[in-house]
Amino acid sequence: DGGITQSPKYLFRKEGQNVTLSCEQNLNHDAMYWYRQDPGQGLRLIYYSQIVNDFQKGDIAEGYSVSREKKESFPLTVTSAQKNPTAFYLCASSLGHNPATNEKLFFGSGTQLSVL
Amino acid sequence: QKEVEQDPGPLSVPEGAIVSLNCTYSNSAFQYFMWYRQYSRKGPELLMYTYSSGNKEDGRFTAQVDKSSKYISLFIRDSQPSDSATYLCAMSAGSGYSTLTFGKGTMLLVSP
């Protein structure tokens, strides 16, 4: 089955620790995204990538880093600089190529990150 | 004024009711409009996708866009308990990758 796989489902971070959230897709989509979802806040864009080896900051990139070494993979690292990391993190992908397909996002099942 | 406004609910209805979910927006450049359904602690799934103004129907779901009023709606006919979820509106000007702006979501509860 084609889709987006996020792991782990739950993650705990100690103070001062960097943690990495995994996102893998087998949809052959060019574009991938990371969103953060807080209760009552909606989805906020952290980073996105249109193509391998290229990515752009979203609205709330501070304290996060990403890489896009393979088309299928877009891991997100939550660094110790992110002082309020507790949230539900969602990875998404889209076919890209034109506006009609850019905006149809397919989401993974999410990772809940909590601070110990 | 927030770019996209959506009532968080919860909206509680009995099974079989017609449900109306709405979003208002301020950016007149938006031309792509979407509704996503999100079950608790799951990723959102695309429910309806509309370009520009007009109506689109898919089974029990109808999406309406009124660009002159900057108002979009999602109607659910014959609502079922399985429709209980949070519904997120999203919209974009289509000027680049992931320019989607999401509403905060409306929680819908359909009781048997």
Side-chain angles (χ1 to χ4, degrees):
Chain A
D1 285 336
I4 300 178
T5 301
Q6 287 187 244
S7 62
K9 192 171 179 64
Y10 300 95
L11 187 59
F12 297 91
R13 192 191 89 166
K14 296 179 182 178
E15 193 170 339
Q17 185 182 39
N18 292 353
V19 292
T20 298
L21 284 61
S22 171
C23 179
E24 302 277 333
Q25 56 100 358
N26 60 5
L27 298 168
N28 199 32
H29 284 173
D30 284 322
M32 296 187 74
Y33 315 84
W34 275 105
Y35 286 90
R36 170 177 171 146
Q37 188 174 35
D38 296 273
Q41 290 290 319
L43 272 66
R44 293 183 289 170
L45 182 64
I46 305 173
Y47 269 99
Y48 66 100
S49 168
Q50 303 174 24
I51 197 168
V52 174
N53 293 324
D54 185 51
F55 48 83
Q56 286 77 40
K57 293 181 179 180
D59 301 319
I60 55 165
E62 186 174 349
Y64 300 97
S65 66
V66 293
S67 63
R68 186 89 187 275
E69 297 177 1
K70 298 187 300 181
K71 185 176 184 177
E72 301 80 15
S73 179
F74 192 41
L76 173 74
T77 297
V78 183
T79 74
S80 57
Q82 173 50 247
K83 298 306 180 187
N84 184 24
T86 297
F88 190 54
Y89 290 85
L90 287 160
C91 179
S93 70
S94 68
L95 186 59
H97 305 306
N98 60 63
T101 56
N102 284 349
E103 316 297 3
K104 292 182 179 178
L105 299 185
F106 293 80
F107 284 88
S109 55
T111 294
Q112 175 64 49
L113 175 62
S114 303
V115 177
L116 288 177
Chain B
Q1 182 185 11
K2 289 188 173 60
E3 210 166 17
V4 177
E5 299 269 12
Q6 186 175 11
D7 188 327
L11 175 63
S12 296
V13 301
E15 184 175 356
I18 296 174
V19 174
S20 173
L21 303 167
N22 311 294
C23 287
T24 58
Y25 62 95
S26 57
N27 188 345
S28 58
F30 287 151
Q31 53 182 339
Y32 295 90
F33 303 92
M34 281 138 280
W35 287 95
Y36 285 85
R37 177 175 62 194
Q38 184 177 25
Y39 292 111
S40 182
R41 287 303 166 198
K42 301 289 186 185
E45 56 179 324
L46 182 62
L47 205 55
M48 300 291 282
Y49 174 90
T50 309
Y51 170 68
S52 195
S53 284
N55 294 0
K56 185 173 183 177
E57 188 173 321
D58 184 2
R60 297 185 295 112
F61 299 91
T62 300
Q64 284 187 353
V65 175
D66 182 349
K67 290 186 69 178
S68 61
S69 302
K70 297 190 181 67
Y71 189 88
I72 70 170
S73 300
L74 177 70
F75 297 95
I76 306 175
R77 292 183 298 279
D78 188 25
S79 57
Q80 303 294 311
S82 59
D83 294 327
S84 297
T86 296
Y87 290 80
L88 303 161
C89 65
M91 46 198 79
S92 164
S95 57
Y97 282 81
S98 190
T99 55
L100 277 182
T101 300
F102 283 86
K104 293 183 177 181
T106 298
M107 181 182 291
L108 172 66
L109 301 171
V110 181
S111 55

